[in-house]
Amino acid sequence: MGQKPITFLRQVLAMCAYPELLKDSAFPDDAKQRARRILEACGGQSIGAYSASQGIECIRQDVARYIEKRDGGIPSSPDNIFLSTGASDAIVTMLKLMVSGEGRTRTGVMISIPQYPLYSATLAELGAVQIYYYLDEGKCWSLDVAELRRSLQAAREHCNPRVLCIINPGNPTGQVQSRQCIEDVIRLAKEERLFLMADEVYQDNVYAEGCKFHSFKKVLFEMGPEYSSTVELASFHSTSKCYMGECGFRGGYMEVVNMDPEVKVQLLKLVSVRLCPPVPGQALLDLVVNPPQPDEPSYNTFMKERTAVLDALAEKARMTEEMFNAVPGITCNPVQGAMYTFPRITLPQRAMDKAKEEGLVPDMYYCMRLLEEEGICLVPGSGFGQREGTFHFRMTILPPTEKLKIVLQKISAFHQRFSQEFS
């Protein structure tokens, strides 16, 4: 997508991979100091060695300090931090840990519609029951506790609901949940004894005015001991998103809160089977949670690059919403956060009939036509789930601004052409 890597991150990783570079005067001292510290924590002082299954100790300490700072001083323990192969690996591990029972006692897991398909695919693989709750498109894809209760009550007829998954900021819908909404969810989790899984990998990607990222952990502890000592929570973060975009390194972590000590022993066994997360990914994560400080030589360049990436994404989020909403038959909510837009498209009946003839769902037919005619690849809304009778697509806002503008113009022209063809 043309996003340039952050210099500091790549410098340290280069020295970790090839320590001879530590002698090179071209690298700044703070980058060298980070590389030495990481290498000293590795077996044989090499990122080619296995690490502890839970992750390198000093990196888990840095993650805990990062969480404490992010959450205004609420304590975090390295013992509750598990480093992982991106956030996905930790999410799959937690779901695996939760699933049990047969028939009506089979574990049910609540997932949003629309949702990131990692959840539905993992639950299908594990044979768990998927419990859908719908986000409210009319209110910027917000989460409504009344809808959660409806879905929970219906599910109790055929399974044992045990887990509630939240993606905030949202994928594919780009919403940022309000603090009030998070409090309501935590109250529900306590009442219904649900384990909360908070997927917070887009926490630095918040663009809309008046929107702010609130971590579930922070809100939980600010609600007082009645909640902070009882509600079970696992939250997830990754090096793949935000300003880093280093998805190939597969770095991530999860923090568990209020997990029963005996269950935690089983979790440790479960992660041990996988040996350890990739050590270069762990090293990268350390730099994300422990970036250059104002008194260090790399700070100015780092902040300039970080700000440029996030500012460009904010601008592209605004531009995407504006350009889509100018097209008859496309309705686009504000992209409050994350990296995607999920606009609703109105399709003529004749287009739906044609799709049926071709053996495709209507938005898949639409996206295949766009791919064939314009070379633009979108994901149909049916891939994420959507309310019956509505159609959407997901598009990333990552391409460079000028290229994105051309992509948006082409999609707009295609939509009008497509609508006319089938009107």
Side-chain angles (χ1 to χ4, degrees):
M1 292 288 139
Q3 183 176 311
K4 287 188 170 62
I6 302 292
T7 305
F8 179 77
L9 305 184
R10 290 296 182 94
Q11 284 175 331
V12 178
L13 288 169
M15 288 185 280
C16 286
Y18 187 58
E20 284 294 306
L21 293 174
L22 285 161
K23 300 170 189 168
D24 193 323
S25 59
F27 290 86
D29 288 342
D30 55 343
K32 287 180 179 177
Q33 179 263 324
R34 294 293 201 294
R36 284 193 191 97
R37 183 168 175 267
I38 291 165
L39 288 169
E40 280 163 14
C42 293
Q45 300 203 343
S46 166
I47 60 166
Y50 285 130
S51 77
S53 296
Q54 200 172 338
I56 293 168
E57 173 72 22
C58 80
I59 297 178
R60 287 190 290 117
Q61 288 168 356
D62 286 348
V63 170
R65 274 192 288 270
Y66 161 82
I67 293 169
E68 277 186 15
K69 187 178 174 189
R70 180 198 69 188
D71 292 344
I74 291 162
S76 174
S77 164
D79 292 340
N80 292 331
I81 307 292
F82 291 76
L83 306 190
S84 57
T85 308
S88 305
D89 176 52
I91 290 165
V92 171
T93 299
M94 282 308 298
L95 290 172
K96 205 176 274 185
L97 188 72
M98 297 288 171
V99 174
S100 65
E102 293 299 329
R104 285 189 67 167
T105 66
R106 191 67 176 156
T107 299
V109 178
M110 301 181 72
I111 55 176
S112 64
I113 295 294
Q115 54 92 33
Y116 178 48
L118 165 74
Y119 291 90
S120 50
T122 303
L123 295 172
E125 188 183 340
L126 295 172
V129 179
Q130 299 173 38
I131 305 170
Y132 301 133
Y133 63 89
Y134 288 91
L135 299 175
D136 187 345
E137 184 171 10
K139 292 182 181 167
C140 239
W141 299 110
S142 66
L143 197 161
D144 176 25
V145 171
E147 166 61 12
L148 285 178
R149 288 190 193 280
R150 178 208 62 78
S151 124
L152 192 58
Q153 292 318 119
R156 287 223 159 98
E157 300 296 314
H158 60 271
C159 70
N160 176 22
R162 295 177 68 190
V163 186
L164 170 55
C165 300
I166 312 278
I167 308 174
N168 180 46
N171 174 10
T173 43
Q175 84 287 2
V176 178
Q177 301 297 358
S178 69
R179 187 194 166 93
Q180 183 59 55
C181 169
I182 293 170
E183 284 186 18
D184 291 344
V185 168
I186 290 169
R187 282 191 195 95
L188 176 81
K190 181 180 187 296
E191 277 171 43
E192 304 289 351
R193 297 192 63 192
L194 295 170
F195 190 107
L196 276 177
M197 288 178 56
D199 179 339
E200 299 176 333
V201 301
Y202 297 101
Q203 58 190 256
D204 289 328
N205 298 107
V206 177
Y207 319 118
E209 232 172 272
C211 285
K212 186 183 176 202
F213 170 74
H214 301 278
S215 81
F216 265 78
K217 163 110 181 273
K218 183 174 195 277
V219 176
L220 175 64
F221 276 77
E222 287 176 350
M223 286 171 75
E226 183 192 346
Y227 297 95
S228 63
S229 62
T230 57
V231 175
E232 295 172 290
L233 168 71
S235 49
F236 307 89
H237 195 17
S238 163
T239 60
S240 301
K241 319 295 181 191
C242 302
Y243 62 91
M244 302 84 72
E246 296 282 14
C247 31
F249 280 99
R250 311 308 299 129
Y253 74 77
M254 73 171 159
E255 181 184 29
V256 295
V257 175
N258 292 326
M259 181 176 271
D260 183 291
E262 287 184 35
V263 177
K264 205 159 143 193
V265 169
Q266 301 308 315
L267 175 59
L268 266 167
K269 281 186 193 173
L270 203 51
V271 299
S272 300
V273 174
R274 308 283 275 277
L275 300 180
C276 71
V279 176
Q282 294 186 49
L284 175 64
L285 178 67
D286 191 54
L287 307 172
V288 172
V289 298
N290 183 20
Q293 298 305 302
D295 58 346
E296 293 182 314
S298 300
Y299 179 78
N300 288 341
T301 302
F302 172 80
M303 287 308 291
K304 188 178 165 192
E305 291 175 346
R306 180 186 187 278
T307 306
V309 170
L310 294 174
D311 285 356
L313 284 168
E315 170 55 32
K316 290 184 283 190
R318 280 190 294 274
M319 181 175 80
T320 302
E321 179 200 346
E322 279 170 21
M323 286 183 73
F324 275 148
N325 280 328
V327 182
I330 299 183
T331 314
C332 184
N333 268 320
V335 184
Q336 296 174 334
M339 307 177 163
Y340 314 99
T341 179
F342 197 67
R344 184 169 173 169
I345 48 175
T346 305
L347 299 179
Q349 185 58 50
R350 284 180 59 212
M352 291 190 243
D353 297 341
K354 178 68 175 168
K356 198 174 179 183
E357 264 177 52
E358 303 274 338
L360 296 170
V361 288
D363 51 10
M364 181 64 172
Y365 175 66
Y366 177 95
C367 289
M368 288 305 293
R369 282 280 304 266
L370 176 67
L371 181 63
E372 286 160 8
E373 291 176 28
E374 297 292 352
I376 295 168
C377 184
L378 304 177
V379 188
S382 46
F384 301 93
Q386 54 199 349
R387 281 200 182 273
E388 190 70 32
T390 68
F391 304 106
H392 302 78
F393 59 75
R394 185 187 83 163
M395 189 188 88
T396 179
I397 59 168
L398 286 171
T401 306
E402 287 313 307
K403 189 178 279 188
L404 181 64
K405 200 176 281 181
I406 294 165
V407 168
L408 290 166
Q409 285 164 352
K410 287 188 168 207
I411 294 170
S412 304
F414 167 81
H415 184 82
Q416 290 170 79
R417 209 166 59 235
F418 183 89
S419 300
Q420 208 166 4
E421 181 186 336
F422 291 104
S423 62

